[in-house]
Amino acid sequence: MNKRGILVLSMAATMLFSTVGCSSSGGDNASGGENLPKIGATVYKADDNFISSVRRELEANAEGVAELTVDDSQNDQAKQLDQIDTMIAKGAKVLAINLVDPKAASSVIEKAQAADLPVVFFNKEPDESAMASYDKAYYVGTISKESGVMQGNVIVEQWNANKDKWDKNGDGKIQYVMIKGEPGHPDAEARTEWSVKTVNEAGIETEELAIDTGMWDAAKATEKMDAWLAKFGDKIEFVICNNDGMASGAVASLEKEGYFSGDKFMPVVGVDAIPEIVTLIEQDKVVGTVLNDASNQAKAVIDLSLNLANGKDAVEGTDWKLENKAVRVPYVGVTKANINDVK
């Protein structure tokens, strides 16, 4: 080959490697490219059933429009605050935070304010005073009371349709056990209060046999249900769970005792409408749940974050509406009658 040929090949090779070197890729937990706005997100606990769905939807909505990093705080508030420091140091343009402890909102806001960064909280709502302390703080989520009311409506509907079979002692009351979420969590407190209150307001009397926390965890819920079945047995007429993860744990316990086989049945309700529970509703092992809309919550978080990162109004060009700096994504009651709509 002559010198001219060698020179041409050499130039071509140089151009090829230069082109490869300019391509961009995200890290293990990142999506997007070099010129996209950086969104630093944390979730309180990545293996929470509902939060894992939100995380997947966050990543899907950010694909191609933002460089998104999602950190798992592993239910450790100190770890979450350290992660936020790192995100700020790495050039995040906006923070999207699923708090470990809602009381830590002020600490997060202090960090965001010092860096002049907008912060979008989601799923766990800070109190009003924290939100009012910073004009660049926003919230995406639900109205906690609403999920309890809708769960109560599901219980009322199902009890009235099946009272002859489910009222085992014939006293007209619902003898129930309640598996509660994290104590102090706004959703746990609201669901616990309003589910039962809604049933009572519909004219149905209730008797609480037992209540305890399952910390949103299926395995802990199974342990609680095991103990209550041993203590109360067939006196239990309804199992009310603050989320679907714990509802699935309760079902696992009930199945060990022969429920959902033959005529042995126990009504169970949850909240979130995760895929596992949708399947259990179809199998007549759960009587209802409440759709906590992970898809739309994640979409709203990314939409607001993109606008704020680009210096725009939070909801500009979107269908979202702000009410007191919050975007509210509604719940939907779910039973076997409308399961196809959810699917």
Side-chain angles (χ1 to χ4, degrees):
M1 182 179 293
N2 60 32
K3 291 182 178 180
R4 180 177 174 81
I6 293 172
L7 179 61
V8 170
L9 286 173
S10 176
M11 290 174 65
T14 300
M15 290 174 65
L16 173 62
F17 285 110
S18 295
T19 302
V20 172
C22 287
S23 67
S24 64
S25 62
D28 291 342
N29 298 311
S31 63
E34 292 175 354
N35 297 320
L36 300 177
K38 292 183 178 180
I39 301 173
T42 68
V43 295
Y44 96 97
K45 189 168 172 275
D47 60 359
D48 176 281
N49 297 82
F50 177 69
I51 292 300
S52 66
S53 297
V54 174
R55 179 177 182 170
R56 287 193 299 273
E57 294 293 335
L58 286 171
E59 292 168 344
N61 278 278
E63 188 67 35
V65 295
E67 184 179 337
L68 174 70
T69 299
V70 185
D71 285 342
D72 177 8
S73 298
Q74 299 176 332
N75 211 22
D76 183 335
Q77 188 59 64
K79 179 188 285 289
Q80 184 170 72
L81 293 174
D82 288 342
Q83 290 167 340
I84 291 169
D85 286 335
T86 300
M87 290 172 181
I88 293 171
K90 289 185 175 181
K93 297 299 183 187
V94 63
L95 302 172
I97 308 299
N98 168 223
L99 290 161
V100 174
D101 181 357
K103 295 184 180 69
S106 295
S107 298
V108 175
I109 286 172
E110 285 175 11
K111 293 178 183 294
Q113 196 166 18
D116 194 29
L117 294 180
V119 56
V120 180
F121 295 101
F122 62 98
N123 182 251
K124 292 188 183 182
E125 186 170 8
D127 63 36
E128 289 184 15
S129 61
M131 292 294 291
S133 71
Y134 187 38
D135 62 353
K136 295 182 180 180
Y138 300 87
Y139 176 70
V140 172
T142 55
I143 298 173
S144 297
K145 169 185 171 181
E146 190 178 75
S147 61
V149 170
M150 288 198 172
Q151 188 182 56
N153 287 334
V154 168
I155 294 168
V156 169
E157 174 191 323
Q158 295 297 306
W159 177 261
N160 285 337
N162 297 281
K163 185 166 71 171
D164 291 345
K165 294 180 291 183
W166 294 356
D167 187 11
K168 298 171 186 175
N169 61 5
D171 67 353
K173 299 180 183 179
I174 300 177
Q175 275 77 33
Y176 72 89
V177 294
M178 173 85 73
I179 308 180
K180 186 177 176 180
E182 177 186 354
H185 188 297
D187 288 344
E189 300 302 333
R191 291 171 189 178
T192 297
E193 176 184 358
W194 283 97
S195 57
V196 176
K197 185 177 285 189
T198 301
V199 173
N200 296 152
E201 288 175 351
I204 301 171
E205 292 185 64
T206 55
E207 179 184 350
E208 181 183 282
L209 297 180
I211 182 171
D212 203 351
T213 179
M215 292 298 292
W216 307 122
D217 184 80
K220 287 183 173 62
T222 300
E223 292 173 6
K224 298 299 176 189
M225 199 69 221
D226 285 348
W228 291 339
L229 285 170
K231 182 175 182 179
F232 300 109
D234 235 19
K235 292 179 181 178
I236 302 170
E237 295 177 337
F238 225 112
V239 182
I240 306 172
C241 303
N242 278 178
N243 81 338
D244 281 349
M246 296 186 297
S248 69
V251 168
S253 172
L254 288 161
E255 285 180 320
K256 290 188 295 184
E257 294 299 315
Y259 286 87
F260 315 115
S261 177
D263 294 330
K264 197 171 184 181
F265 182 78
M266 179 77 72
V268 179
V269 290
V271 174
D272 285 338
I274 62 174
E276 179 183 357
I277 290 297
V278 170
T279 299
L280 290 175
I281 290 174
E282 291 179 312
Q283 295 173 347
D284 294 318
K285 294 180 180 179
V286 169
V287 299
T289 184
V290 180
L291 174 64
N292 196 0
D293 195 342
S295 179
N296 273 317
Q297 285 188 42
K299 179 169 172 39
V301 169
I302 297 299
D303 285 351
L304 267 65
S305 296
L306 283 173
N307 274 342
L308 293 166
N310 290 315
K312 298 179 181 179
D313 180 78
V315 294
E316 182 179 332
T318 75
D319 292 328
W320 308 115
K321 306 296 181 187
L322 276 179
E323 297 178 13
N324 297 321
K325 300 173 72 179
V327 169
R328 301 294 182 181
V329 180
Y331 288 102
V332 180
V334 180
T335 64
K336 198 170 185 180
N338 67 338
I339 199 73
N340 288 330
D341 296 337
V342 175
K343 291 173 69 178

